[in-house]
């Protein structure tokens, strides 16, 4: 009984005393963004955007709650992260990291290795964004946010908003881990292009990862083709050339679903992709008679454009022998016995794979248009 009482007393003391590893906020430095590069000696350069929590008073540097850029080098990222303490004077917290950027040279050498520390760190939830930067990742951290004074939060806002554009594939750390879990270590991450003025950056396109390395970039059209197939289009605008040259219609896609079905016939594997976009006529440059035939023609044009975008994405992926669509998962589930034979040479099989695309778009009618078409 005395032992039980002593244990309970100790637990109460711990609870009332707070967390055993509690650190005062004024003694904490929060990392909001991380950049990974290689220097001329082949060592990793770690750049971090660090924010000091505001105490309501300006610090010795004259700032309160402001961020600063700190750099360190190391033979590994873990080594560089520990060396960071020497420059910051504090053990940094990565709990609130918004994004992790990796520069061109580091990404071409290896992506998995440098990111391994951030995959393993139990402090992180895997929800921070991962980006590829053309040139030095450091340059992205040094850009300024025009829409948000805190640049890492600006990038976070752009990643979330990109879902309404459909030309840029936001990828979180956890998503990337799942993609690279394949034998071929295939995936993709978005590209950021910092402007030379360092006042802003533009996020456009993506880079294909194969064997854990960046191998090829894909443009915005190919990215949207990838997103159509993977069912990640939440909203986007499809520009349709009208019958009269120089005139265009804007079709707003409100939702899209995709179905991927592998078919094996006569020992020949085919991937059948069916995409079902739903949308509305957003605007027309020139008023045109909206009859049933024109309405069907617009749907046909949308189908054609989306099919071309998907074929463009498939072509660049096959050229790099990188199954960024995850076709292997569907083949494995439907044909487990055959998959055992195909798996060792899947990149080669994928590059020769026949892919059939079927797009069945549906333009929803608003009340006025439905009445005009005699649908009411």
């Amino acid at each position: 009984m005395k032992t039980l009482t002593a244990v309970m007393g100790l637990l109460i003391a711990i609870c009332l005393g707070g967390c055993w590893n509690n650190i005062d906020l004024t003694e904490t430095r929060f990392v909001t963004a991380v950049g990974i590069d290689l220097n001329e000696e082949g060592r990793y350069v770690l750049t971090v955007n660090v924010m000091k929590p505001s105490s309501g008073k300006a610090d010795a540097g004259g700032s309160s709650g402001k961020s600063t850029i700190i750099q360190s080098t190391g033979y590994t990222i873990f080594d560089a992260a520990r060396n960071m303490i020497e420059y910051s004077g504090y053990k940094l917290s990565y709990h609130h990291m918004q994004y992790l950027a990796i520069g061109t040279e580091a990404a071409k050498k290896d992506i998995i290795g440098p990111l391994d520390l951030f995959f393993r760190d139990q402090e992180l939830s895997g929800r921070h964004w991962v980006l590829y930067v053309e040139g030095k990742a450091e340059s992205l951290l040094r850009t300024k946010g025009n829409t948000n004074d805190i640049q890492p939060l600006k990038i976070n806002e752009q990643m979330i908003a990109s879902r309404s554009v459909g030309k840029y594939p936001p990828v979180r750390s956890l998503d990337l881990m799942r993609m690279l879990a394949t034998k071929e270590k295939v995936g993709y991450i978005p590209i950021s292009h910092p402007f030379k003025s360092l006042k802003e950056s533009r996020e456009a396109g993506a880079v294909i990862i194969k064997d854990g390395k960046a191998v090829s970039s894909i443009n915005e059209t190919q990215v949207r083709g990838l997103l159509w197939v993977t069912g990640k289009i939440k909203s986007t605008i499809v520009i349709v050339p009208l019958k009269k040259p120089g005139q265009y219609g804007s079709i707003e896609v409100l939702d899209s679903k995709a179905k991927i079905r592998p078919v094996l016939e006569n020992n020949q594997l085919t991937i059948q992709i069916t995409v079902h976009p739903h949308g509305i006529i957003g605007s027309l440059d020139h008023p045109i008679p909206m009859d049933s035939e024109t309405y069907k023609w617009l749907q046909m044009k949308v189908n054609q454009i989306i099919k071309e975008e998907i074929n463009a994405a498939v072509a660049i992926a096959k050229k790099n022998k990188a199954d960024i669509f995850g076709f292997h998962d569907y083949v494995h589930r439907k044909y487990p016995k055959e998959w055992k034979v195909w798996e060792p040479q899947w990149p080669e099989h994928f590059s020769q794979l026949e892919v059939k695309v079927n797009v069945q778009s549906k333009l929803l009618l608003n009340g006025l248009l439905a009445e005009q078409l005699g649908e009411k």
Side-chain angles (χ1 to χ4, degrees):
M1 187 65 181
K2 290 182 178 180
T3 303
L4 178 60
T5 302
V7 171
M8 291 181 64
L10 178 61
L11 291 175
I12 292 173
I14 292 175
C15 292
L16 294 177
C19 298
W20 68 273
N21 61 343
N22 181 57
I23 301 176
D24 192 294
L25 282 177
T26 59
E27 300 297 325
T28 304
R29 295 297 180 269
F30 295 103
V31 173
T32 54
V34 172
I36 298 175
D37 293 301
L38 283 180
N39 63 15
E40 296 179 354
E41 299 174 348
R43 296 186 185 181
Y44 286 108
V45 178
L46 187 65
T47 306
V48 297
N49 186 309
V50 180
M51 178 166 289
K52 176 186 174 183
S54 176
S55 61
K57 298 180 180 179
D59 59 19
S63 64
S64 176
K66 301 297 184 179
S67 62
T68 186
I69 301 294
I70 304 175
Q71 281 187 323
S72 68
T73 60
Y75 290 96
T76 66
I77 291 298
F78 197 6
D79 183 31
R82 282 299 175 88
N83 292 339
M84 190 71 70
I85 300 175
E86 179 182 346
Y87 299 95
S88 68
Y90 297 87
K91 185 174 181 180
L92 303 177
S93 170
Y94 293 83
H95 284 82
H96 302 284
M97 183 167 64
Q98 299 296 309
Y99 72 84
L100 190 156
I102 184 165
T104 299
E105 295 304 318
K108 288 182 177 180
K109 178 184 178 182
D110 181 26
I111 286 181
I112 297 178
L115 300 189
D116 183 69
L117 172 63
F118 301 97
F119 287 161
R120 295 176 182 272
D121 195 330
Q122 296 179 355
E123 291 184 356
L124 303 177
S125 63
R127 294 189 57 77
H128 55 275
W129 307 105
V130 182
L131 301 91
Y132 170 90
V133 180
E134 289 191 338
K136 296 288 186 180
E138 172 191 352
S139 62
L140 179 61
L141 274 71
R142 294 189 183 278
T143 60
K144 298 179 180 179
N146 290 342
T147 58
N148 194 311
D149 290 338
I150 303 175
Q151 190 265 2
L153 295 183
K154 188 266 298 188
I155 294 292
N156 180 60
E157 292 168 354
Q158 286 181 325
M159 294 297 103
I160 295 174
S162 67
R163 296 168 179 169
S164 299
V165 179
K167 296 181 179 181
Y168 189 69
V171 175
R172 295 189 186 273
S173 176
L174 188 58
D175 300 327
L176 183 59
M177 279 194 293
R178 290 168 177 166
M179 284 190 278
L180 299 183
T182 61
K183 179 182 177 182
E184 292 80 23
K185 298 180 177 60
V186 169
Y188 57 87
I189 52 177
I191 299 177
S192 180
H193 307 266
F195 294 159
K196 292 182 179 180
S197 64
L198 297 182
K199 291 184 178 180
E200 194 60 270
S201 64
R202 178 175 182 267
E203 281 57 58
V207 64
I208 295 176
I209 302 170
K210 182 182 177 184
D211 296 325
K213 304 175 183 179
V215 294
S216 176
S217 61
I218 54 179
N219 61 34
E220 294 179 31
T221 298
Q222 296 161 337
V223 163
R224 191 157 71 169
L226 166 65
L227 297 178
W228 290 120
V229 175
T230 54
K232 294 180 180 179
I233 291 287
K234 302 302 179 185
S235 177
T236 190
I237 301 295
V238 177
I239 304 300
V240 177
L242 301 179
K243 294 181 179 180
K244 189 173 182 179
Q247 296 178 353
Y248 300 90
S250 299
I251 308 301
E252 181 181 6
V253 176
L254 304 173
D255 184 35
S256 180
K257 299 187 183 303
K259 182 178 181 180
I260 299 174
R261 189 166 74 95
V263 177
L264 183 60
E265 292 181 350
N266 300 321
N267 204 33
Q268 181 68 35
L269 179 65
T270 302
I271 297 293
Q272 296 182 353
I273 302 172
T274 305
V275 180
H276 296 275
H278 293 164
I280 60 174
I281 300 174
S283 67
L284 299 172
D285 273 1
H286 182 75
I288 57 178
M290 190 51 66
D291 52 25
S292 296
E293 288 301 316
T294 302
Y295 178 75
K296 292 178 181 178
W297 178 83
L298 282 173
Q299 284 192 146
M300 180 271 293
K301 294 297 290 183
V302 171
N303 293 344
Q304 179 183 340
I305 292 170
I306 293 176
K307 184 175 180 179
E308 289 173 354
E309 291 179 348
I310 293 174
N311 285 333
V314 170
I316 189 69
K318 290 172 68 173
K319 180 180 179 180
N320 287 279
K321 299 182 180 181
D323 181 10
I324 56 177
F325 307 96
F327 290 158
H328 58 275
D329 283 334
Y330 296 90
V331 176
H332 185 193
R333 285 196 295 266
K334 188 169 183 179
Y335 302 109
K337 292 183 179 179
E338 290 80 357
W339 175 250
K340 292 180 180 179
V341 178
W342 293 332
E343 183 180 16
Q345 299 298 324
W346 179 245
E348 192 64 38
H349 284 294
F350 171 76
S351 67
Q352 303 298 324
L353 196 61
E354 182 181 5
V355 179
K356 297 182 179 179
V357 180
N358 180 26
V359 182
Q360 300 175 5
S361 64
K362 182 177 181 180
L363 302 185
L364 307 178
L365 302 176
N366 57 34
L368 181 62
L369 183 57
E371 184 176 355
Q372 185 176 346
L373 295 181
E375 298 293 336
K376 276 192 171 185

